[in-house]
Amino acid sequence: MTTQTTTGAARPAGRPRSEKAEKAIIEATLDLIGEGNSVSELSIEAIAARAGVGKTTIYRRWSNKEDLVVDALSSLKAPLPQFAGRSVREDLITWLRVISTESADRRGRCVMNILNSDPGRHPRVMERFYELAIKPRREAVLAVLRRGVANGELRPDLDVDLAMTILNGALVWAGKWLDHPGQMEGIPDRIVNEVLRGFAPA
Amino acid sequence: MTTQTTTGAARPAGRPRSEKAEKAIIEATLDLIGEGNSVSELSIEAIAARAGVGKTTIYRRWSNKEDLVVDALSSLKAPLPQFAGRSVREDLITWLRVISTESADRRGRCVMNILNSDPGRHPRVMERFYELAIKPRREAVLAVLRRGVANGELRPDLDVDLAMTILNGALVWAGKWLDHPGQMEGIPDRIVNEVLRGFAPA
DNA sequence: CCGATACGCAACGGTTCCGTTTCATAAACC
DNA sequence: GGTTTATGAAACGGAACCGTTGCGTATCGG
């Protein structure tokens, strides 16, 4: 039994694990996902090489690839979009613009690539990812829609869940079939306008 | 110089290529795609094993994996859905129901898996696939929407392209986030109803 | 300094897949 | 029968990656 001077968990003897290496590994993982690699296509060797790290350093921290990916995705806490609240229309446009804009940076591409991957393939990864990156925002947007139902901006019998599926699905689908990001320019506004008015004449 | 008794292309001497083997190879390829394998994940060895065929037989016909996949997808000519034409609402519901139903069989799953794959990864495959399986149906549905605009069922200033993106995107997105196929039951009807009426009150 | 642990690196044996070659056999034509 | 081509099976060398091990070095606490 050694003398214990500090309270709390005993610090193990020897060289401590490198924070820098850990960051580099997670960054490398996110880079590779952002570049379009599916979870199945990720290889520990590629991650180690990209991070400038030995494979040992990875295996010492994570026992398998999925655990690593789950931890990497945990660093993708997306900030909740700030809704002005002046109108539901405005907030929904803001929401779609946020998605659209974020798809340009690395984190956004990560999110999109994971979203577009087969959910049945890596259930633990998807579950964690959903809780972390999707659910909070989903709740926030649902609140906007419910506010609209409550204050008469939206139909009282609107299915807010389905409404959100329509909005998100439309934007993602649009992004998938446009070659150049520039074409996404006015899409959020146009989608919101069309679905608010409806396709049928007044 | 040999005597030429038949007209047309000279039949080469020797054993002819087996039609059966060719079919088996393509079926095996579609099976594997339908089971969720991306094009990158397909391996010639797995295809050969599944088809009960030697690798030689594959390499003799296709010089690379993409050529094989392109040919395999060519056998997926989706029949155009038959629209009753009584109303645009009805035809759009029919359309979404067709997609939804087809997602259950192997060909449909193939289509969905290819659609959900990264378009930038195998451009030749995607291009061919779009021309073959997407474009014709897209044109047919656009015709339905234009008919609606012309006869007053839809708003005269409706953006039919965007409208179709919204419909398809919503359905695909809904299918992605439902675990059991049974939950898709009334989704097509509900989507069409919501987007025709619009989220805003009349 | 010493013991303990982590580090990057290189190498290991094992697996999967690549694209090619060899082989005995099968199926067409003359 | 003889020629020619295709077939399935097996094996090749090579590549990528797996998860592990050993090595020399670096970095902590005592």
Side-chain angles (χ1 to χ4, degrees):
Chain A
M1 198 172 230
T2 66
T3 56
Q4 181 79 31
T5 57
T6 62
T7 56
R11 173 134 33 134
R15 176 177 177 175
R17 292 192 179 167
S18 159
E19 288 283 341
K20 197 168 68 178
E22 191 141 340
K23 286 223 174 214
I25 294 167
I26 287 186
E27 288 301 305
T29 305
L30 295 178
D31 276 354
L32 291 170
I33 293 176
E35 289 169 12
N37 295 98
S38 74
V39 175
S40 318
E41 288 163 343
L42 290 181
S43 79
I44 300 287
E45 306 228 338
I47 294 171
R50 172 78 62 117
V53 143
K55 281 192 291 177
T56 342
T57 306
I58 296 182
Y59 282 114
R60 189 175 293 116
R61 289 167 166 75
W62 297 278
S63 58
N64 60 66
K65 193 168 60 179
E66 299 214 341
D67 284 350
L68 166 56
V69 172
V70 166
D71 276 7
L73 293 181
S74 297
S75 72
L76 288 182
K77 348 179 224 306
L80 285 183
Q82 201 60 17
F83 294 124
R86 276 201 293 274
S87 73
V88 170
R89 152 179 267 110
E90 204 174 298
D91 285 355
L92 292 180
I93 292 177
T94 299
W95 163 237
L96 294 191
R97 278 185 186 158
V98 165
I99 307 182
S100 182
T101 302
E102 285 183 349
S103 304
D105 68 16
R106 192 201 59 176
R107 184 183 55 216
R109 275 198 303 273
C110 271
V111 173
M112 284 302 167
N113 289 337
I114 296 287
L115 276 180
N116 278 329
S117 72
D118 184 350
R121 230 21 191 282
H122 303 278
R124 290 176 40 239
V125 171
M126 290 302 279
E127 196 174 328
R128 172 81 175 182
F129 176 70
Y130 177 79
E131 288 299 320
L132 197 94
I134 309 301
K135 199 174 181 183
R137 294 176 153 218
R138 176 181 168 81
E139 295 302 327
V141 179
L142 281 180
V144 170
L145 289 167
R146 292 204 191 93
R147 195 187 80 213
V149 171
N151 72 12
E153 271 193 86
L154 303 180
R155 285 190 354 250
D157 59 336
L158 178 70
D159 180 336
V160 288
D161 268 292
L162 187 61
M164 183 149 129
T165 298
I166 292 170
L167 286 167
N168 293 342
L171 188 81
V172 172
W173 198 246
K176 195 175 203 59
W177 294 104
L178 297 180
D179 297 332
H180 310 295
Q183 298 176 273
M184 283 294 279
E185 195 58 39
I187 301 281
D189 307 59
R190 290 164 59 201
I191 289 177
V192 171
N193 286 335
E194 296 286 11
V195 299
L196 283 187
R197 284 183 73 186
F199 298 174
Chain B
M1 196 174 248
T2 66
T3 54
Q4 182 80 29
T5 55
T6 61
T7 56
R11 171 134 36 133
R15 178 177 176 175
R17 293 196 177 165
S18 161
E19 289 283 342
K20 196 168 65 178
E22 191 140 340
K23 288 225 174 209
I25 294 167
I26 287 185
E27 289 300 305
T29 305
L30 295 178
D31 276 355
L32 291 170
I33 294 176
E35 288 169 12
N37 297 97
S38 73
V39 175
S40 318
E41 289 164 343
L42 290 180
S43 79
I44 300 288
E45 305 227 337
I47 294 172
R50 171 79 63 118
V53 145
K55 282 193 291 176
T56 339
T57 307
I58 296 181
Y59 282 114
R60 189 175 293 114
R61 290 168 166 75
W62 297 278
S63 58
N64 60 67
K65 194 169 59 181
E66 297 214 343
D67 284 351
L68 166 56
V69 172
V70 166
D71 275 8
L73 293 180
S74 297
S75 72
L76 288 181
K77 345 181 225 305
L80 284 184
Q82 201 61 20
F83 294 123
R86 276 200 294 273
S87 72
V88 169
R89 152 178 265 110
E90 205 173 300
D91 285 353
L92 292 180
I93 292 177
T94 299
W95 164 236
L96 294 191
R97 278 186 186 159
V98 165
I99 306 181
S100 181
T101 302
E102 285 182 349
S103 303
D105 67 17
R106 191 201 59 178
R107 183 184 55 216
R109 275 197 303 273
C110 273
V111 173
M112 282 304 165
N113 289 337
I114 296 288
L115 276 181
N116 279 329
S117 71
D118 184 349
R121 233 15 195 285
H122 303 277
R124 290 176 38 240
V125 171
M126 290 301 281
E127 195 174 329
R128 172 78 175 183
F129 175 70
Y130 177 80
E131 287 299 319
L132 196 92
I134 308 300
K135 199 174 180 182
R137 294 177 153 217
R138 175 181 168 83
E139 294 302 327
V141 179
L142 282 180
V144 170
L145 289 167
R146 291 204 191 91
R147 195 188 78 214
V149 171
N151 72 12
E153 271 192 87
L154 302 181
R155 290 194 346 255
D157 59 338
L158 178 69
D159 180 337
V160 290
D161 267 292
L162 187 61
M164 184 149 131
T165 298
I166 292 170
L167 286 166
N168 293 341
L171 188 80
V172 171
W173 197 247
K176 195 176 206 57
W177 294 104
L178 297 179
D179 298 332
H180 310 294
Q183 298 176 272
M184 284 294 278
E185 195 58 41
I187 300 283
D189 308 59
R190 290 164 59 200
I191 289 177
V192 170
N193 286 334
E194 295 286 10
V195 299
L196 284 186
R197 283 182 75 185
F199 297 173

